[in-house]
Amino acid sequence: MNTRARWTIGILVALVIGLVVGLIIVAGDDNNNSATTQSIQSISTPTRSTTSQTTTQATISTTTSQSGGTPVPGGTTTTGGSGGL
């Protein structure tokens, strides 16, 4: 028998022995894990309702004469609406 055949047979025998030992270890495992498993809970996501949005335009009027003070940048004033400074 030549050297190459001996090495090939030796490697195959070592692989078979390793697989047998691995199977014995896996079969002997009694699942004494410290980790616990939890069941998966379903999560519901709320659905978004479709809403309609109405926009209102404000009337913009321009003034040409000021009765004192510093004019507003842009020279325009708005009537109506709410908020602001």
Side-chain angles (χ1 to χ4, degrees):
M1 188 181 286
N2 65 12
T3 307
R4 179 175 282 178
R6 287 183 190 175
W7 275 101
T8 304
I9 291 171
I11 291 172
L12 288 175
V13 169
L15 287 173
V16 169
I17 291 172
L19 287 174
V20 169
V21 170
L23 286 174
I24 291 172
I25 291 171
V26 170
D29 188 18
D30 58 357
N31 291 329
N32 284 337
N33 296 345
S34 61
T36 58
T37 58
Q38 296 179 355
S39 62
I40 298 174
Q41 298 176 358
S42 64
I43 299 172
S44 62
T45 57
T47 58
R48 294 184 180 181
S49 62
T50 306
T51 58
S52 175
Q53 183 177 9
T54 306
T55 57
T56 307
Q57 274 188 332
T59 305
I60 300 174
S61 64
T62 59
T63 57
T64 56
S65 65
Q66 296 289 328
S67 62
T70 307
V72 177
T76 59
T77 59
T78 60
T79 58
S82 63
L85 295 175

